[in-house]
Amino acid sequence: MTVTLTAKRTLTASAGGRLNLDNINPHVKAAKYAVRGELAVKAEEYRVKLAQGDKSLPFDSVIFANIGNPQQLDQKPISFFRQVLSLLENPSLLENPEALRTSFGYQQDVIDRAKTLLADVQSVGAYSHSQGAPIIRDSVAKFIEERDGFPANPQDLYLTGGASSGVSTLLNVICDGPSAGVLVPIPQYPLYTATLSLLNAQCVPYHLEEHRAWGTDVNAIRQNLAQAKAAGTDVRAIVVINPGNPTGASLSAEDIKGVLDLAAEEKLVVIADEVYQTNVFTGEFISFKKRLRQLQQEVPGKYDSVELASLHSVSKGMVGECGHRGGYFELVGFDPEVAAQVYKYVSIMLCPPVIGQCLVELMVNPPKEGEPSRAVYEKEYNGIRDGLRKRAFALYEAFQRMEGVECQEPQGAMYLFPTITLPPKAVEAAKAENRAADEFYCLRLLDATGVCVVPGSGFGQKENTLHFRTTFLAPGTDWVERIVKFHSEFMAKYK
Amino acid sequence: MTVTLTAKRTLTASAGGRLNLDNINPHVKAAKYAVRGELAVKAEEYRVKLAQGDKSLPFDSVIFANIGNPQQLDQKPISFFRQVLSLLENPSLLENPEALRTSFGYQQDVIDRAKTLLADVQSVGAYSHSQGAPIIRDSVAKFIEERDGFPANPQDLYLTGGASSGVSTLLNVICDGPSAGVLVPIPQYPLYTATLSLLNAQCVPYHLEEHRAWGTDVNAIRQNLAQAKAAGTDVRAIVVINPGNPTGASLSAEDIKGVLDLAAEEKLVVIADEVYQTNVFTGEFISFKKRLRQLQQEVPGKYDSVELASLHSVSKGMVGECGHRGGYFELVGFDPEVAAQVYKYVSIMLCPPVIGQCLVELMVNPPKEGEPSRAVYEKEYNGIRDGLRKRAFALYEAFQRMEGVECQEPQGAMYLFPTITLPPKAVEAAKAENRAADEFYCLRLLDATGVCVVPGSGFGQKENTLHFRTTFLAPGTDWVERIVKFHSEFMAKYK
């Protein structure tokens, strides 16, 4: 079907229409989003070629290590989640619970959960409350309370279509024009810079400390802040991604305190992107909310003015349900009148996908100890966790074997972000193609091996350094060896 | 659970934080979106009170006639759609097709469709292509071709999270700053004015002709356009909602030609919101795409420069799957470089919900004549269509019985938008409460009857006229009589 239709002559090109590249919204034009850019498009073309039986490529599969998309890379969804969702999609299945049990192994807790959720949302085909279904926000509040040991209020929670739409909402409300600035870590997930571009607001970059496992250096942030202020930027917020994307770093309690101190002193809204909160290999995840509440108890008064927005998602962790577009953010310390504007803003888009909202509920309220689906849930969850860890370290060890490659030990998230030092001849060859050297390297890697990674320039990096980001989601380790082999040939070629 | 958590003291109010109503994004503050405003919030409060057993209200149910949300009002989803979706959510069900057939009545075409979709998307939990899964765009292209008799190209299609996000994308790309203007029908669905507010662009209103069944009057549009141009507005696009929201009007071939003539002469991008295309009672739906292609054949050259973006959705029609957030738009005649910017823009949010994308596929490619699920599909589809028609006319007839109420005969969409003429004393009483008279009327209606409708001021209306919009989705006709009784008491009170 594809072939027939796409082969038809497209009538797209217009003769002298209204819009062209030079008169559309210049902020859309200015926005950059490398994760789905040229490399990703080329990788998809290779995938289609291979699927069509093309034998001309020097590899037999494309490895999409460019994007944290676990289920594209054969990560199996968690059975409990999908069993409940299947009942929500077709509630008439609930009319024959015996057949669900005997023919499909659905347990009673699956059936009960579906009934509970349906009683609240009525139908997953109905619009919900714009902030998200009440029962689901209740579950999220309970999850946050149990995670942090501090209360959470469902009224402060906003369910979203993935964390991305939450970030967009927050930045839309916070930024009031071209002088508004937001501190963004470098390297960063490019959603932040892209959204600030769209809003014509200022990205105020602060560099993470690669030599300290990509931690935050508050003194450096203070310098960037002072420079931005001196240049007339009204810096209003600071973004922290913890665990880090693309860095994989997991922040210490001390680093988090440093950011909150700064926020309290400088009146910065803290946007804590915590979508990788369960992807932690080293130490434990500490939420900004928990740390803030601790500090508010320890030093009464000092942190009362801090405004914090924390984001979470069903896309990452051991859930990995990117395609369902589910997530939430919690507002802490926001003026209720501002929160009302956030509500109005989200209501214009009506509501986040309801089935994604239900998945948020399942994520934050999985089967408990002793419940019938618990054993399988635990086995699947731990299997995914251990697999991620294993592949992260396999990749890390491969990088240690590669000349001119340095990588921090894996701590969390789904990524490694090694530094690469390339020979001058490679840098010249890149220049001749009018490309950044890391982009040149990543393109050659894709062409030679089918492994698609994202150049560091897509995330930002210190001047005169080169990196790339790779996920450690693809199954097996064969593809890691493809990188090792390519790298040694590349280095030999440009020596 | 709700009660315990919401009863806890919220820590929301901050002491002197960064953000307040006067320093957030002024364009967010300026945006208005009445469909989910004060009335909707109050209606939800009444619903919760009733659910908690409150007996103090003068009604025993809330009728949400304010929003086109069919499944909230007990419209049953179409079985074929939901059966397929249940398999997509839990593909392990496919391992026992015999049990699906015997215990749950799943037909072979349900099973086959699920397998076909899964072969393309891999998992509904994986991010898809940012424009939407290829196989689904192929089906949409085929649907458009069959509907219009003219080719469609999957590359020109963008799947969206409901039509709302498509509108947001298009306006974001088209509007380049405060001087950019977009012609918007009055009355209109407030998504358009709200989004233009957010973009700080100009809404250039044009009035629909109530006396001509809410048709378009191109001469009036020309006047508005000339005025806006004279005032320095760079008018770039025209929005047409067909069938109309809130008006319910279905445009004639001649009205559509009038808009396309104007677009060709004045170089206006046409944004055709066609989400109600199957909700037509009178005559047949004609798409802007079809009319454009006809005119391009009839008058070679004249219409070559026309840029058209047509939107559709799974939320309306007989599908009614609002909560799934599925839809698409087609670009016709756009500069490929502009289309590339549209692609980049949507890629920042990664992809629309994949299960919603699959529902788009099912909507445009339902069971065919002779296929096993066809008979049930047809019965359900026609049942919904006939029910909508019946209730539309019941409501229309009730309006004819009401003093001072005039209503156009139902033609399409899910709404009626009657004119109401209120006694001067009622207008004064509204003024005393600092409210528009139609808002006052709608609030009293809600307080007295539990029926929630939206005042005409939420959509825009000619000066010195008053309207309200009601859906005809709620089951039964009891609630219609509630309105009749309230209206007669209201008119008597303020006589």
Side-chain angles (χ1 to χ4, degrees):
Chain A
M1 196 152 59
T2 314
V3 178
T4 330
L5 282 171
T6 52
K8 280 186 187 148
R9 194 178 77 82
T10 167
L11 291 159
T12 291
S14 87
R18 181 54 176 263
L19 302 176
N20 60 56
L21 201 53
D22 295 322
N23 69 7
I24 59 164
N25 184 345
H27 310 307
V28 169
K29 193 177 159 188
K32 287 192 172 62
Y33 190 74
V35 175
R36 297 211 147 190
E38 182 189 357
L39 271 150
V41 171
K42 200 170 190 190
E44 175 62 16
E45 286 167 5
Y46 284 154
R47 188 194 65 79
V48 171
K49 267 194 179 179
L50 290 171
Q52 290 170 344
D54 190 304
K55 303 278 181 212
S56 68
L57 297 170
F59 44 85
D60 58 9
S61 65
V62 172
I63 305 291
F64 289 93
N66 58 319
I67 185 160
N69 192 7
Q71 294 185 20
Q72 181 195 37
L73 300 166
D74 296 331
Q75 181 176 306
K76 292 279 163 292
I78 290 190
S79 301
F80 176 79
F81 297 168
R82 294 305 196 89
Q83 287 174 342
V84 175
L85 296 187
S86 68
L87 299 178
L88 298 179
E89 285 294 3
N90 189 10
S92 74
L93 293 171
L94 289 164
E95 288 161 21
N96 194 345
E98 199 42 41
L100 286 174
R101 268 186 224 107
T102 53
S103 302
F104 300 112
Y106 280 42
Q107 303 280 350
Q108 190 58 40
D109 52 354
V110 170
I111 292 167
D112 293 345
R113 184 66 65 88
K115 287 183 178 168
T116 306
L117 284 168
L118 281 172
D120 193 62
V121 303
Q122 283 183 265
S123 162
V124 294
Y127 291 127
S128 71
H129 189 292
S130 294
Q131 264 184 262
I135 199 178
I136 297 175
R137 285 186 283 134
D138 286 345
S139 283
V140 174
K142 218 173 154 201
F143 157 77
I144 295 172
E145 292 191 359
E146 281 167 12
R147 184 194 66 191
D148 294 343
F150 292 96
N153 189 327
Q155 293 172 33
D156 299 332
L157 295 169
Y158 298 73
L159 298 184
T160 60
S164 300
S165 92
V167 167
S168 172
T169 295
L170 293 164
L171 292 178
N172 264 278
V173 172
I174 291 170
C175 296
D176 72 335
S179 66
V182 175
L183 281 155
V184 172
I186 298 295
Q188 54 113 24
Y189 177 55
L191 165 65
Y192 292 97
T193 41
T195 308
L196 290 170
S197 283
L198 293 176
L199 288 165
N200 192 25
Q202 306 302 317
C203 171
V204 181
Y206 68 92
H207 283 286
L208 299 173
E209 303 299 292
E210 185 163 7
H211 63 278
R212 280 209 313 117
W214 296 109
T216 54
D217 174 352
V218 175
N219 290 327
I221 301 177
R222 280 183 206 279
Q223 282 178 17
N224 296 114
L225 178 59
Q227 278 168 19
K229 279 170 142 183
T233 302
D234 172 24
V235 184
R236 306 181 142 222
I238 179 167
V239 172
V240 183
I241 310 174
N242 179 42
N245 178 4
T247 64
S250 177
L251 290 186
S252 67
E254 204 43 37
D255 274 3
I256 296 172
K257 179 176 180 298
V259 173
L260 290 170
D261 284 344
L262 183 72
E265 288 158 31
E266 299 280 350
K267 291 209 176 175
L268 297 173
V269 180
V270 179
I271 298 176
D273 178 339
E274 300 177 333
V275 300
Y276 298 99
Q277 60 188 262
T278 57
N279 297 108
V280 174
F281 304 134
T282 312
E284 57 157 355
F285 166 74
I286 304 163
S287 78
F288 267 78
K289 168 89 180 291
K290 178 180 184 174
R291 197 75 192 95
L292 175 62
R293 291 298 189 226
Q294 288 174 336
L295 292 168
Q296 285 176 333
Q297 284 186 338
E298 289 166 19
V299 194
K302 176 171 178 190
Y303 299 92
D304 284 1
S305 69
V306 173
E307 292 146 291
L308 168 67
S310 309
L311 298 122
H312 195 14
S313 161
V314 300
S315 299
K316 311 300 171 185
M318 269 46 79
V319 183
E321 295 274 10
C322 313
H324 274 102
R325 313 312 294 121
Y328 73 83
F329 62 82
E330 182 186 19
L331 297 184
V332 176
F334 273 63
D335 182 330
E337 288 189 326
V338 173
Q341 295 293 318
V342 172
Y343 170 75
K344 181 183 69 183
Y345 182 88
V346 297
S347 77
I348 298 171
M349 288 290 124
L350 297 163
C351 72
V354 176
I355 203 86
Q357 294 185 40
C358 293
L359 192 46
V360 169
E361 205 280 337
L362 300 171
M363 171 179 78
V364 299
N365 186 20
K368 286 182 187 52
E369 209 64 63
E371 290 177 351
S373 296
R374 176 69 187 189
V376 172
Y377 170 79
E378 213 160 34
K379 185 163 168 273
E380 292 174 343
Y381 187 96
N382 294 345
I384 296 169
R385 187 194 59 199
D386 297 346
L388 286 171
R389 188 191 185 91
K390 194 176 149 194
R391 288 196 300 275
F393 280 90
L395 201 52
Y396 170 63
E397 279 149 28
F399 289 152
Q400 288 183 304
R401 282 185 275 137
M402 284 158 62
E403 181 194 351
V405 173
E406 269 179 80
C407 189
Q408 299 296 308
E409 197 176 300
Q411 290 192 328
M414 296 181 165
Y415 313 103
L416 293 181
F417 194 65
T419 293
I420 47 176
T421 307
L422 299 182
K425 276 191 191 162
V427 178
E428 281 160 37
K431 233 178 232 161
E433 284 189 19
N434 204 14
R435 292 190 184 279
D438 49 4
E439 192 190 22
F440 176 81
Y441 176 88
C442 293
L443 269 168
R444 291 293 89 80
L445 173 67
L446 174 63
D447 291 342
T449 67
V451 177
C452 183
V453 300
V454 186
S457 46
F459 306 95
Q461 52 199 349
K462 280 193 174 156
E463 234 177 304
N464 300 319
T465 70
L466 299 172
H467 300 77
F468 64 84
R469 185 190 81 168
T470 174
T471 71
F472 39 79
L473 296 167
T477 48
D478 144 70
W479 62 279
V480 177
E481 292 311 314
R482 291 195 216 173
I483 302 177
V484 175
K485 181 164 171 284
F486 160 80
H487 184 78
S488 116
E489 288 167 4
F490 182 94
M491 296 301 275
K493 180 171 178 187
Y494 291 104
K495 187 148 275 173
Chain B
M1 193 154 62
T2 314
V3 178
T4 331
L5 281 172
T6 52
K8 277 184 188 152
R9 196 177 77 82
T10 166
L11 290 158
T12 292
S14 87
R18 181 51 176 263
L19 302 177
N20 60 56
L21 201 52
D22 295 322
N23 69 7
I24 60 165
N25 184 344
H27 310 306
V28 169
K29 194 177 156 188
K32 287 192 174 60
Y33 190 72
V35 177
R36 297 213 146 189
E38 184 189 355
L39 270 150
V41 170
K42 203 169 187 190
E44 175 62 15
E45 285 167 8
Y46 284 153
R47 188 194 65 79
V48 171
K49 267 195 180 179
L50 290 171
Q52 289 169 346
D54 191 304
K55 303 278 181 209
S56 69
L57 297 170
F59 44 84
D60 58 8
S61 66
V62 173
I63 305 292
F64 289 93
N66 58 317
I67 184 161
N69 193 7
Q71 293 185 21
Q72 181 194 37
L73 300 168
D74 297 330
Q75 181 176 306
K76 294 278 159 293
I78 289 186
S79 300
F80 177 79
F81 296 168
R82 294 304 197 89
Q83 287 174 343
V84 174
L85 296 187
S86 68
L87 299 178
L88 298 179
E89 284 294 1
N90 190 8
S92 75
L93 293 171
L94 289 164
E95 289 160 19
N96 194 344
E98 199 40 42
L100 285 174
R101 266 184 225 109
T102 53
S103 302
F104 300 110
Y106 281 43
Q107 303 282 351
Q108 190 58 40
D109 53 353
V110 170
I111 292 167
D112 293 346
R113 185 68 64 88
K115 286 184 178 166
T116 306
L117 285 167
L118 281 171
D120 193 62
V121 303
Q122 281 185 266
S123 162
V124 294
Y127 293 125
S128 72
H129 190 291
S130 294
Q131 267 183 260
I135 197 177
I136 298 175
R137 284 185 283 134
D138 287 344
S139 283
V140 174
K142 218 175 154 201
F143 157 77
I144 295 172
E145 293 190 357
E146 281 167 14
R147 185 194 65 190
D148 294 343
F150 291 96
N153 189 326
Q155 293 172 35
D156 298 332
L157 295 169
Y158 297 73
L159 298 184
T160 60
S164 300
S165 93
V167 168
S168 173
T169 296
L170 292 166
L171 292 178
N172 264 278
V173 171
I174 292 171
C175 297
D176 72 335
S179 67
V182 175
L183 280 155
V184 172
I186 297 297
Q188 54 112 25
Y189 178 56
L191 165 66
Y192 292 96
T193 41
T195 308
L196 290 170
S197 283
L198 292 175
L199 288 165
N200 192 24
Q202 306 302 318
C203 172
V204 181
Y206 67 93
H207 284 285
L208 300 174
E209 303 300 292
E210 185 163 7
H211 62 278
R212 282 211 312 118
W214 297 109
T216 54
D217 174 353
V218 173
N219 290 327
I221 302 177
R222 279 183 208 279
Q223 281 179 16
N224 296 116
L225 178 59
Q227 278 167 19
K229 279 171 142 181
T233 302
D234 173 24
V235 184
R236 304 180 145 222
I238 179 167
V239 172
V240 183
I241 312 175
N242 179 44
N245 177 2
T247 65
S250 178
L251 291 186
S252 67
E254 204 42 39
D255 274 3
I256 296 173
K257 177 175 182 297
V259 172
L260 291 170
D261 283 345
L262 184 72
E265 289 158 31
E266 299 282 347
K267 290 209 178 175
L268 298 174
V269 180
V270 179
I271 299 176
D273 178 339
E274 300 178 330
V275 300
Y276 298 99
Q277 60 187 261
T278 57
N279 297 109
V280 175
F281 303 134
T282 311
E284 59 157 354
F285 167 74
I286 304 161
S287 77
F288 267 79
K289 167 90 179 290
K290 177 179 183 174
R291 198 76 191 93
L292 175 62
R293 292 297 189 227
Q294 287 173 337
L295 292 168
Q296 285 175 334
Q297 284 186 339
E298 290 166 19
V299 193
K302 176 170 178 191
Y303 299 92
D304 283 2
S305 69
V306 174
E307 292 146 293
L308 167 67
S310 310
L311 298 122
H312 195 14
S313 161
V314 300
S315 299
K316 310 302 172 184
M318 271 44 81
V319 184
E321 295 274 11
C322 315
H324 275 103
R325 316 308 296 121
Y328 72 82
F329 62 83
E330 181 186 19
L331 296 184
V332 176
F334 274 62
D335 182 330
E337 286 190 327
V338 173
Q341 294 295 317
V342 173
Y343 170 74
K344 181 184 68 183
Y345 182 88
V346 297
S347 77
I348 297 171
M349 289 289 125
L350 299 162
C351 72
V354 177
I355 203 88
Q357 294 184 39
C358 293
L359 192 47
V360 169
E361 205 280 334
L362 299 171
M363 172 179 77
V364 300
N365 186 20
K368 286 184 189 53
E369 210 63 62
E371 289 177 352
S373 296
R374 176 68 188 190
V376 172
Y377 169 78
E378 214 160 31
K379 185 164 167 274
E380 292 175 342
Y381 187 93
N382 294 346
I384 295 168
R385 187 194 58 199
D386 298 344
L388 286 171
R389 190 192 183 91
K390 194 176 147 192
R391 288 197 300 277
F393 280 90
L395 201 51
Y396 171 61
E397 280 150 27
F399 288 152
Q400 288 183 304
R401 282 185 276 136
M402 285 159 62
E403 182 194 350
V405 173
E406 271 180 78
C407 189
Q408 299 296 309
E409 196 175 301
Q411 291 192 328
M414 296 181 167
Y415 313 103
L416 293 183
F417 193 63
T419 293
I420 45 176
T421 308
L422 298 181
K425 278 191 189 162
V427 178
E428 279 159 38
K431 234 178 230 159
E433 283 189 20
N434 204 15
R435 291 189 185 280
D438 51 1
E439 193 189 21
F440 177 80
Y441 176 89
C442 294
L443 270 167
R444 290 296 86 81
L445 173 68
L446 175 62
D447 291 342
T449 66
V451 177
C452 184
V453 299
V454 186
S457 47
F459 305 96
Q461 52 200 350
K462 279 196 174 154
E463 236 177 301
N464 300 318
T465 69
L466 300 173
H467 301 76
F468 63 85
R469 185 190 79 169
T470 175
T471 71
F472 40 80
L473 296 167
T477 49
D478 145 68
W479 62 279
V480 177
E481 293 310 315
R482 289 195 218 175
I483 302 178
V484 175
K485 182 165 170 282
F486 161 80
H487 185 75
S488 117
E489 288 166 5
F490 182 92
M491 296 300 276
K493 182 173 175 185
Y494 292 103
K495 185 147 279 173

